[in-house]
Amino acid sequence: MKINISPLLWPVFRRHLIVFSRNWKVNVAFNFVEPLLYLTALGVGLGAYVQPIEGIPYLKYLAPGLVASSAVFATAYECTYGTFIRMEFQKTFQAMVATPVSIDDVIAGELLYGTFKSVLYSVVILLVIFILGLVESSWALLVPVVMALGGLLFAILSIIWTGLVPYIESFNYFFSLFMTPLFLFSGVFFPLTGLHAIVQKAAWLSPLYHLVNLVRGIILGQVGIHLVWDLVWVAAAVIVLFPLPFYLMRRLMIK
Amino acid sequence: MTRQMGVGGTLDVVAAEDLVKEYDGLQAVRGINFRIKARECFGFLGPNGAGKTSTVKMIYGLSPVSAGKLTVLGMDVRTKIRDIKRRLGVVPQENNLDPDLKVLQNLLVYASFFNISGSEARNRAQELLEFFGLADKAKERVESLSGGMKRRLTIARALINKPDLLILDEPTTGLDPQARHMVWQRLRQLKEQGVTLILTTHYMEEASQLCDRLVIMDRGEILVEGNPHQLVSEQAGEEIVETSSSEEMIVHPATLEDVFLKLTGRKLQD
Ligand SMILES: Nc1ncnc2c1ncn2[C@@H]1O[C@H](COP(=O)(O)OP(=O)(O)OP(=O)(O)O)[C@@H](O)[C@H]1O
Ligand SMILES: [Mg+2]
């Protein structure tokens, strides 16, 4: 399958940025309220009763996990509800493809916007935890790079779902059956070493698990060859899955 | 807003040969043939489901051609759709203005999809807003516009790239007579400026007011083609005598409606 992306991807992306910038303060504020609540309730509140994990105080253990998970949640919302509303209710895509913009440019624009959200929110939350003194290493500067890749992966996964089950009600299931289990069992809150071997194996399949490993590793300065494997896993998933959103969305839009 | 055809003017702007559109099993367009010349206004008239939208969607590349041949501005829609779309303006049947953007932003963002930016885009947008009587609405939200204003903005948007061919799918459906006349007046001005127009409509009056030539479609087929006034006199004669059950007789001048009634035995509008 040949994917036909042109430089018109940039004006498409720019359109999304214009819309985002209209109320970016509200958007950003809402998106870091939630990780802050988790940090306070679990990191500070529950953390007072939790022993250091692998020698790390619980708050410091938890914070990098929330950087990764909050970012990919923002992407997942954008590329399910957001994409669907643009396509189905606002007919934004139909308007775009009547210009020299191709359907593939439109879909690439959605992926890029989803990726942008992960990068932006990971950086915002990174800044917050930096101010709180929870960042240990200057490797943390690589967070936006890692989350660009991770964001792209979650944008792809979300648009795959949107393309497969294009009904607004279906997105509830995406979050309750896919995103929430990932959030709970990818090592954001606790290491998986205590769980049954099957759960540990299953976690290896979770894209968020690898992202949490990577982000925690660089924020806490625990960098090593093991992180390369997580990076390879995420990159390989992006490469393998990349054509699918294009295939599925074309199928929906070309009649 | 004047623009010459790049190809000497002799070539047809649109040429369709045995054009077919099929949606899994259902044939919406059943092998139609037509040619549209530069600078004319060409109409597709027909009842709901006739295949008008399906036909124009193939012309602007939203919908792939199922069978037959379709060239637009001398290029094959199957292979050259991006180049074709650069020179088209499209007013779709369903409004799809961007509700996330203000009125002026709608035009500027749309211009950017044609690689038109900066002061060039702003000048064109301003000019178009004035031409369509929307200049004082530039900063408004799209939702705050009336139906007629939205339609005018959609037409303005379609002109941002100075198209050679403007495709209008039911430009005035749902508008009150006053708003409709305003759109007609603008379309006539565009035609005088040399833009080729394709128009679909349910309204005979619209077709006879604007179109140089038209086809009447029904159930995916073209029933008849010609100049609206010629069609009426050839097919229906000068006057129509209606008889109703109450034994009254009504005499009125023949219209395209009568042509359609004669050809199909049905009325054009529901
Ligand atoms: N995306 C689609 N999938 C399946 N069938 C379709 C699709 N679009 C149109 N059709 C069918 O094709 C036929 C022609 O539809 P089309 O929209 O071209 O008619 P139209 O002349 O534009 O009608 P209207 O005046 O109501 O706009 C109809 O029977 C319609 O149900
Ligand atoms: Mg139609």
Side-chain angles (χ1 to χ4, degrees):
Chain A
M1 193 183 86
K2 195 176 170 301
I3 297 172
N4 180 10
I5 302 174
S6 80
L8 288 175
L9 162 64
W10 299 112
V12 171
F13 180 51
R14 209 178 129 261
R15 179 259 168 216
H16 299 321
L17 290 185
I18 291 171
V19 175
F20 177 79
S21 69
R22 267 202 351 197
N23 40 20
W24 68 272
K25 283 182 195 144
V26 179
N27 284 329
V28 171
F30 273 116
N31 270 279
F32 83 94
V33 165
E34 204 172 285
L36 275 183
L37 288 175
Y38 277 110
L39 269 183
T40 327
L42 298 180
V44 181
L46 183 66
Y49 301 92
V50 176
Q51 293 176 356
I53 293 173
E54 294 158 0
I56 305 157
Y58 188 62
L59 190 57
K60 275 195 178 164
Y61 180 87
L62 177 65
L66 290 174
V67 169
S69 62
S70 313
V72 300
F73 263 86
T75 298
Y77 281 115
E78 193 53 60
C79 293
T80 51
Y81 290 103
T83 298
F84 185 75
I85 287 168
R86 281 186 285 280
M87 172 173 72
E88 200 62 28
F89 298 139
Q90 303 187 173
K91 309 277 176 203
T92 312
F93 297 178
Q94 282 84 339
M96 287 177 175
V97 300
T99 72
V101 170
S102 69
I103 288 186
D104 290 352
D105 294 331
V106 171
I107 300 157
E110 294 295 312
L111 293 174
L112 189 56
Y113 188 40
T115 306
F116 161 79
K117 289 232 155 156
S118 266
V119 173
L120 178 76
Y121 292 125
S122 64
V123 170
V124 169
I125 300 157
L126 179 66
L127 278 175
V128 173
I129 70 166
F130 173 76
I131 292 164
L132 297 174
L134 302 173
V135 175
E136 293 283 307
S137 156
S138 51
W139 280 99
L141 290 171
L142 287 179
V143 163
V145 179
V146 169
M147 289 315 296
L149 197 61
L152 179 55
L153 179 54
F154 272 84
I156 292 171
L157 292 168
S158 308
I159 293 191
I160 288 174
W161 181 278
T162 306
L164 282 174
V165 238
Y167 310 101
I168 199 101
E169 301 84 13
S170 89
F171 303 133
N172 290 334
Y173 299 112
F174 180 71
F175 285 91
S176 57
L177 299 178
F178 182 69
M179 292 301 290
T180 304
L182 288 191
F183 183 45
L184 294 174
F185 296 100
S186 294
V188 173
F189 298 103
F190 52 87
L192 299 167
T193 40
L195 297 177
H196 195 282
I198 292 176
V199 181
Q200 291 189 39
K201 288 230 167 63
W204 187 84
L205 291 172
S206 153
L208 185 55
Y209 168 77
H210 300 282
L211 286 174
V212 169
N213 281 349
L214 283 162
V215 171
R216 183 174 287 134
I218 58 181
I219 288 180
L220 299 181
Q222 297 173 340
V223 179
I225 192 77
H226 58 286
L227 290 189
V228 174
W229 290 112
D230 291 311
L231 196 63
V232 168
W233 192 101
V234 177
V238 165
I239 292 167
V240 170
L241 297 175
F242 187 75
L244 272 176
F246 294 89
Y247 171 77
L248 292 168
M249 296 299 273
R250 276 187 204 171
R251 213 185 48 161
L252 279 185
M253 286 183 57
I254 304 180
K255 290 257 169 66
Chain B
M1 253 167 271
T2 311
R3 205 49 165 347
Q4 295 294 322
M5 287 261 328
V7 273
T10 50
L11 214 65
D12 294 314
V13 174
V14 181
E17 272 174 44
D18 304 320
L19 185 62
V20 174
K21 180 70 219 180
E22 206 171 294
Y23 303 103
D24 24 60
L26 175 112
Q27 272 210 357
V29 176
R30 301 163 177 266
I32 61 173
N33 293 277
F34 59 88
R35 287 172 176 279
I36 300 171
K37 294 198 262 308
R39 293 167 162 263
E40 75 175 334
C41 176
F42 190 90
F44 290 91
L45 183 64
N48 289 125
K52 305 181 297 293
T53 298
S54 301
T55 304
V56 297
K57 275 186 177 169
M58 288 191 279
I59 298 176
Y60 69 85
L62 185 62
S63 187
V65 169
S66 306
K69 222 181 131 186
L70 181 61
T71 54
V72 179
L73 299 160
M75 294 175 273
D76 190 333
V77 290
R78 285 195 173 90
T79 53
K80 288 272 194 280
I81 194 64
R82 234 196 250 268
D83 296 322
I84 294 172
K85 286 194 294 181
R86 248 181 266 287
R87 295 168 56 192
L88 293 187
V90 177
V91 177
Q93 183 169 354
E94 290 181 293
N95 260 332
N96 58 20
L97 292 165
D98 199 326
D100 292 333
L101 301 172
K102 304 278 169 65
V103 168
L104 177 64
Q105 277 180 326
N106 255 278
L107 298 183
L108 295 178
V109 166
Y110 208 73
S112 73
F113 300 149
F114 292 90
N115 279 324
I116 304 165
S117 57
S119 58
E120 175 71 13
R122 278 193 302 277
N123 290 342
R124 287 193 194 186
Q126 199 54 45
E127 209 176 283
L128 285 166
L129 287 179
E130 273 156 30
F131 183 64
F132 284 98
L134 294 165
D136 55 332
K137 303 283 175 189
K139 298 263 185 283
E140 305 261 328
R141 297 167 56 83
V142 167
E143 280 103 29
S144 71
L145 300 183
S146 72
M149 289 177 190
K150 279 187 188 148
R151 218 53 192 148
R152 265 141 57 199
L153 182 59
T154 309
I155 302 173
R157 188 183 68 173
L159 293 169
I160 199 83
N161 60 325
K162 304 194 174 169
D164 294 314
L165 170 62
L166 180 61
I167 299 172
L168 304 126
D169 197 354
E170 300 193 19
T172 65
T173 298
L175 301 192
D176 65 33
Q178 201 187 342
R180 179 172 302 152
H181 278 279
M182 166 144 189
V183 169
W184 288 352
Q185 190 198 350
R186 292 297 180 278
L187 294 180
R188 268 190 221 106
Q189 278 172 274
L190 289 171
K191 214 185 121 209
E192 278 161 24
Q193 291 167 11
V195 182
T196 308
L197 301 177
I198 296 179
L199 182 92
T200 81
T201 183
H202 296 173
Y203 301 116
M204 346 297 123
E205 199 196 345
E206 182 156 287
S208 25
Q209 286 265 345
L210 294 174
C211 297
D212 302 303
R213 284 194 309 137
L214 58 85
V215 291
I216 298 182
M217 283 186 82
D218 188 37
R219 298 174 176 165
E221 284 169 350
I222 290 179
L223 301 179
V224 65
E225 177 191 324
N227 165 294
H229 309 290
Q230 215 180 320
L231 277 180
V232 172
S233 56
E234 280 173 18
Q235 300 280 336
E238 296 301 324
E239 283 184 334
I240 295 295
V241 180
E242 267 181 54
T243 49
S244 60
S245 51
S246 57
E247 292 178 11
E248 286 177 283
M249 290 211 298
I250 305 163
V251 182
H252 68 84
T255 65
L256 284 169
E257 172 85 59
D258 303 307
V259 176
F260 184 79
L261 191 64
K262 180 184 169 231
L263 291 169
T264 65
R266 284 177 293 123
K267 289 215 177 233
L268 192 45
Q269 269 170 297
D270 315 303

